[in-house]
Amino acid sequence: MNMLLYEGGNLDEYDMRELLKTGAQYAGVRSYGLNGLSVEVQHYRFLGGSSRDWLAEREHIALIEAYNALTPDALFTQQDDVECLEYYEFCMQEDTL
């Protein structure tokens, strides 16, 4: 099972682990069990608006989801005005829970 989750900010691996373990928004994920969960995180910057340099945050998630639903062959994060900043992945293990 794959899930796409959005979180604002520039979270590192420790922050993501804590959110998955304790965040109310991830209670549904925890119901499946976290041990062995593979997590991939992508950070990106949206170069739009008046300042041309701001992070896409929670208020833009609905726009991103709507855009992706309308154009599944050209996702929002693949556009010219979106810059990928970082990618990392990790696995939740019993000893880290």
Side-chain angles (χ1 to χ4, degrees):
M1 173 180 79
N2 292 328
M3 299 175 105
L4 181 60
L5 307 170
Y6 294 106
E7 190 68 46
N10 193 17
L11 305 172
D12 63 13
E13 182 179 335
Y14 176 80
D15 294 330
M16 282 304 307
R17 286 179 184 275
E18 287 302 306
L19 273 175
L20 287 167
K21 291 190 289 187
T22 62
Q25 69 271 41
Y26 297 116
V29 175
R30 285 193 298 277
S31 69
Y32 292 101
L34 294 179
N35 190 35
L37 177 71
S38 178
V39 180
E40 298 179 18
V41 179
Q42 296 180 20
H43 291 171
Y44 62 90
R45 182 183 306 273
F46 176 58
L47 306 171
S50 59
S51 69
R52 299 284 302 161
D53 189 22
W54 49 277
L55 290 176
E57 292 286 352
R58 189 175 308 277
E59 65 269 17
H60 302 101
I61 291 172
L63 172 64
I64 293 168
E65 289 179 331
Y67 187 95
N68 287 347
L70 291 172
T71 59
D73 56 332
L75 299 177
F76 181 83
T77 54
Q78 298 168 339
Q79 301 308 303
D80 291 339
D81 54 358
V82 175
E83 174 188 6
C84 292
L85 298 177
E86 181 182 16
Y87 171 85
Y88 63 89
E89 56 186 89
F90 61 92
C91 185
M92 298 291 284
Q93 298 296 329
E94 187 87 24
D95 59 340
T96 62
L97 299 178

